């Protein structure tokens, strides 16, 4: 254990409570302190960044019953403050940013909105049944933009972030990435997404099997960035960059659900140490997420059957992070309180 | 749907070396990892080339730089915040091309500004307060200072936000909705 870890563990043990009695909160507090290299961990300007992007596969209707246009409509909903993530961010005092990573359509009427970040790579990805979802250059640029966005938030004083997403069809990308990176059979990675029934789910599985087969040669190279290029999406690639930059800048990362964790799988394959900065908000209701968590040896904080995305799980878990740093900074020690140990 | 007017201008003016460009860049980078930088400078000579290169080095690689010497409304990247740097050099181009005629130049400048205002987009427009500096030595110089003053007023009246830079510190003069840098 590092010096900070030792000192912080001592500090936690000296609080007026039975040893270890704050359970997971103690683990969170310790991790926060280690990330910040301080025995006085603090949370500043917690921020959720929602990355939005469209997927070429959605236009086929094979993987999702919903029209692609919902992605752009939801971006406006986020900016108006009417989505689930807006409600939870307001409730918990979390800043929210919405990124156009590659949504189909123009947002010229909201680019000056302070919560909107314009980072469009393209109007939706290509259909990966036919070709790579993105070009290599686009993939690298998306990762770079994700990095820049996080670096800017760090410069503005944020040291705690969660990354959410919006993109009709992006659970398909997440399933494919998971299968490629964790070597899990694809059928175990595919779930309902936005709400497919049994028949739609069968079509979705068959379609994704075909995609996986088509790009088998690329997948077998086991290059995380190539895998991302062929099977990912702009919002997922941007999240990869966001994770990498956040870890480099000592940010406490609160990981959301299935798609956010798929992006983390890619980031982790590129840079395993990103995990040191990650707290896992929840176990999603989307099949495959538990397996991802298991693969990353991660212990989720909540289990609420959420499968919405947008960063909602991360926003709901952030108050636990506050509780963890607050008890470390505000609770009396046995010496302070004149309380005798056993 | 419209949460905002489709055109949003932030006019940033001040003296030489007051930090105008840097502040404009900070505002734009908060809105996008890849803003558009419109350079209005014509490359007059080698010394000027050097200055342009130094300004380019100040901006990280996410920026796209385009050079437009006169027709500002011709900018095509409407999906990104745009910095126009700067109105003084742009006016110089108009002034020279109009044979130093104040009236002609002012009329053309207003036409261009009107055209830009009806194009949707998020603009950070950088200018100079020449009138606060030394009194120009030549008749032409004094005319240009007047032109700059009139045009600044014209743009500021049409801007949602106006900021005066004082020794590197932004002083908000007019604000409908200005994000903090």
């Amino acid at each position: 254990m590092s010096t900070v870890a030792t000192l912080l563990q001592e500090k936690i043990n000296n609080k007026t409570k039975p040893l270890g009695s704050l359970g997971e909160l103690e683990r969170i507090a310790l991790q926060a302190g280690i990330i910040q290299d301080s025995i006085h961990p603090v949370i500043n300007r917690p921020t959720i960044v929602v990355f939005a992007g469209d997927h070429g596969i959605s236009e086929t209707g094979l993987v999702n019953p919903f029209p692609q246009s919902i992605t752009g409509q939801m971006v406006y909903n986020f900016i108006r403050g009417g989505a689930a993530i807006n409600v939870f961010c307001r409730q918990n005092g979390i800043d929210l940013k919405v990124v156009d990573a590659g949504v189909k359509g123009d947002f010229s009427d909201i680019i000056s909105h302070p919560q909107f970040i314009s980072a469009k790579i393209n109007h939706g990805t290509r259909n990966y049944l036919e070709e790579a979802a993105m070009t290599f250059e686009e993939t690298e640029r998306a990762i770079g933009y994700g990095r820049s966005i996080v670096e800017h938030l760090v410069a503005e004083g944020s040291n705690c972030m969660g990354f959410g997403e919006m993109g009709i069809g992006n659970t398909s990308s997440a399933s494919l990435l998971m299968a490629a990176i964790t070597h899990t059979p694809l059928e175990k990675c595919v779930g309902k997404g936005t709400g497919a029934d049994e028949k739609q789910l069968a079509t979705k599985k068959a379609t994704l099997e075909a995609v996986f087969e088509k790009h088998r040669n690329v997948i077998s190279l086991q290059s995380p960035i190539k895998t991302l290029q062929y099977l990912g999406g702009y919002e997922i690639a941007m999240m990869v960059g966001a994770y990498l930059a956040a870890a480099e800048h000592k940010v406490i990362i609160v990981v959301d659900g299935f798609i956010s964790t798929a992006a983390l799988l890619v980031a982790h394959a590129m840079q395993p140490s990103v995990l040191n900065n990650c707290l896992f908000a929840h176990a999603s209701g989307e099949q495959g997420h538990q397996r991802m968590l298991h693969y990353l040896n991660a212990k989720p904080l909540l289990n609420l059957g959420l499968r919405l995305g947008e960063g909602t799980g991360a926003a709901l878990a952030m108050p636990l992070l506050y509780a963890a740093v607050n008890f470390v900074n505000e609770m009396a020690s046995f010496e302070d309180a004149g309380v005798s140990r056993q | 749907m419209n949460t905002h007017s489709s055109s949003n201008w932030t006019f940033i003016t001040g003296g030489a070396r007051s930090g105008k460009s840097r502040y404009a860049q900070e505002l734009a980078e908060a809105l996008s990892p890849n803003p558009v930088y419109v350079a209005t400078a014509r490359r007059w000579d080698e010394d000027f080339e050097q200055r342009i290169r130094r300004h380019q080095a100040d901006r990280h690689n996410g920026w796209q730089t385009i050079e437009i010497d006169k027709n500002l409304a011709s900018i095509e990247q409407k999906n990104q915040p745009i910095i126009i740097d700067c109105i003084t050099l742009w006016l110089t181009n108009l002034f020279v091309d109009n044979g130093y005629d104040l009236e002609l130049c002012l009329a053309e400048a207003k036409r261009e500004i009107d055209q830009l205002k009806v194009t949707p987009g998020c603009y950070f427009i950088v200018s100079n307060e020449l009138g606060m500096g030394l009194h120009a030595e030549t008749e032409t110089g004094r005319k240009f200072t007047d032109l700059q003053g009139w045009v600044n007023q014209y743009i500021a009246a049409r801007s949602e936000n106006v900021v005066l830079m004082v020794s590197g510190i932004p002083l908000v003069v007019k604000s409908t909705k200005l994000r903090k840098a």
Side-chain angles (χ1 to χ4, degrees), chain A residues 48 50 74 77-96 98 115 308-316 319:
Chain A
I48 299 273
V50 180
M74 281 303 292
N77 194 15
F78 296 139
I79 293 299
R80 284 199 210 99
I85 189 60
N86 299 98
V87 176
F88 301 151
C89 283
R90 278 196 296 270
Q91 174 188 308
N92 295 333
I94 301 165
D95 288 350
L96 178 67
V98 181
Q115 284 184 293
L308 172 59
E310 302 177 3
T312 45
L316 290 169

Side-chain angles (χ1 to χ4, degrees), chain B residues 18-38:
Chain B
S18 60
K20 304 180 300 288
S21 290
R22 183 191 49 77
Y23 179 67
Q25 282 171 40
E26 280 175 15
L27 291 177
E29 283 174 356
L31 294 175
S32 171
N34 61 324
V36 177
Y37 184 88
V38 176

